[in-house]
Amino acid sequence: MSQHTDMTSDTATSSHADTVILTRDLCWQWPGQAARLRFPDITLPPGEHLFIRGASGTGKSTLLSLLSGMNRSMTGTLTVHGQELTQLSGGARDRLRADRIGVIFQQFNLVPYLDTLGNVLLPCHLSAHRRHQAGDSPPAAARRLLAALGLPEECLGRKPARLSTGQQQRVAAARALIGSPDLILADEPTSALDTLNRDRFVRLLLDQAANSGSSVVFVSHDPALAGHFERHLELTPTMGDQP
Ligand SMILES: Nc1ncnc2c1ncn2[C@@H]1O[C@H](COP(=O)(O)OP(=O)(O)OP(=O)(O)O)[C@@H](O)[C@H]1O
Ligand SMILES: [Mg+2]
């Protein structure tokens, strides 16, 4: 099953060097599932933002897992920041993700035993590159990001269980942004928010990404958010796409 209406794709002339993401003929099949997910081609230049929408089950989260290197695509090509992910080992894909990619998961995936600052600083512990990019004082960078995203000061020492959903979302966004990764992948992070807070959050995320020159790929089932993004991709269910 799955997809498309590709408004990002692109041009035979695009080269790996001038794109953050370049995919061709990407497919994925989950174990035990008869249908294969086929994804439309993506070409994303540095600093540009892509909105991916589609109904539940069309493969949005699966596509992000391929873009982040958490799963390796079965067929096709996928280049992130000039590196062909399908050719890299699991360890090399983990390194690329730690250095170059910030991920905001659908369920945030904050570490329950770390407080807000500890969660935001995690990428700086996993990657010397991100730590270096965060400047002389990563904790100060974390505080600045959290303030810019509107998290109250009193939340800095709290663990995720003592934060509201909207506050956890801001922590997850700051963790993705710290150390200015080239690419931020955001999986439906606004689904729990009302319209006003949802639009505000997307604006804050894109403003902060622009400050650090990061490209954002933002997944949502909500077409109302599309106006914030210059590039769009729609995944649609299609029946009977057997391998
Ligand atoms: N771990 C898994 N094992 C087997 N099948 C899976 C797994 N994760 C997802 N799928 C299947 O892959 C398809 C796409 O799922 P995916 O989670 O990517 O959709 P989605 O567009 O992100 O949906 P939602 O909007 O509900 O988050 C669905 O048919 C789903 O059942
Ligand atoms: Mg999903």
Side-chain angles (χ1 to χ4, degrees):
M1 36 185 308
S2 234
Q3 8 300 220
H4 80 254
T5 299
D6 179 3
M7 290 173 261
T8 70
S9 80
D10 113 283
T11 76
T13 53
S14 298
S15 78
H16 292 194
D18 58 18
T19 56
V20 177
I21 299 173
L22 188 72
T23 77
R24 293 293 176 270
D25 305 320
L26 267 193
C27 288
W28 172 262
Q29 187 163 21
W30 284 107
Q33 300 275 1
R36 186 172 57 168
L37 295 162
R38 293 180 64 244
F39 298 103
D41 294 346
I42 298 173
T43 303
L44 188 65
E48 295 204 12
H49 307 312
L50 169 64
F51 181 73
I52 300 177
R53 78 170 186 226
S56 182
T58 49
K60 303 182 299 297
S61 295
T62 303
L63 176 55
L64 287 197
S65 77
L66 300 179
L67 297 177
S68 70
M70 282 184 266
N71 285 315
R72 179 151 51 177
S73 63
M74 306 161 54
T75 57
T77 59
L78 164 51
T79 305
V80 173
H81 196 70
Q83 297 204 52
E84 177 53 57
L85 262 57
T86 52
Q87 307 296 315
L88 297 181
S89 67
R93 282 181 284 126
D94 288 346
R95 171 79 8 237
L96 179 72
R97 182 168 61 252
D99 287 345
R100 305 276 178 192
I101 303 176
V103 183
I104 307 175
F105 294 93
Q106 197 163 5
Q107 310 298 337
F108 306 144
N109 292 14
L110 297 176
V111 179
Y113 56 82
L114 293 177
D115 66 12
T116 291
L117 273 183
N119 267 287
V120 175
L121 288 168
L122 213 49
C124 297
H125 295 303
L126 298 174
S127 162
H129 178 70
R130 294 278 290 274
R131 189 164 59 245
H132 175 73
Q133 297 261 101
D136 292 343
S137 170
R143 286 169 183 274
R144 273 196 304 276
L145 274 172
L146 289 163
L149 289 164
L151 192 82
E153 177 97 25
E154 67 262 24
C155 295
L156 294 184
R158 286 196 207 157
K159 292 183 179 158
R162 294 183 55 230
L163 299 172
S164 73
T165 303
Q167 289 166 345
Q168 290 183 41
Q169 175 197 49
R170 286 162 166 74
V171 176
R175 182 176 63 179
L177 284 158
I178 198 160
S180 306
D182 301 286
L183 177 61
I184 290 172
L185 303 174
D187 194 352
E188 208 120 29
T190 54
S191 51
L193 299 185
D194 59 71
T195 309
L196 181 64
N197 277 309
R198 196 191 54 192
D199 281 315
R200 199 177 278 162
F201 174 78
V202 172
R203 215 43 275 156
L204 287 169
L205 177 67
L206 293 179
D207 286 349
Q208 291 307 307
N211 282 346
S212 48
S214 309
S215 294
V216 176
V217 174
F218 191 100
V219 158
S220 178
H221 62 273
D222 184 354
L225 294 176
H228 294 282
F229 297 80
E230 56 268 79
R231 288 173 180 256
H232 308 93
L233 188 70
E234 181 167 2
L235 304 189
T236 56
T238 56
M239 297 304 295
D241 183 18
Q242 302 299 323

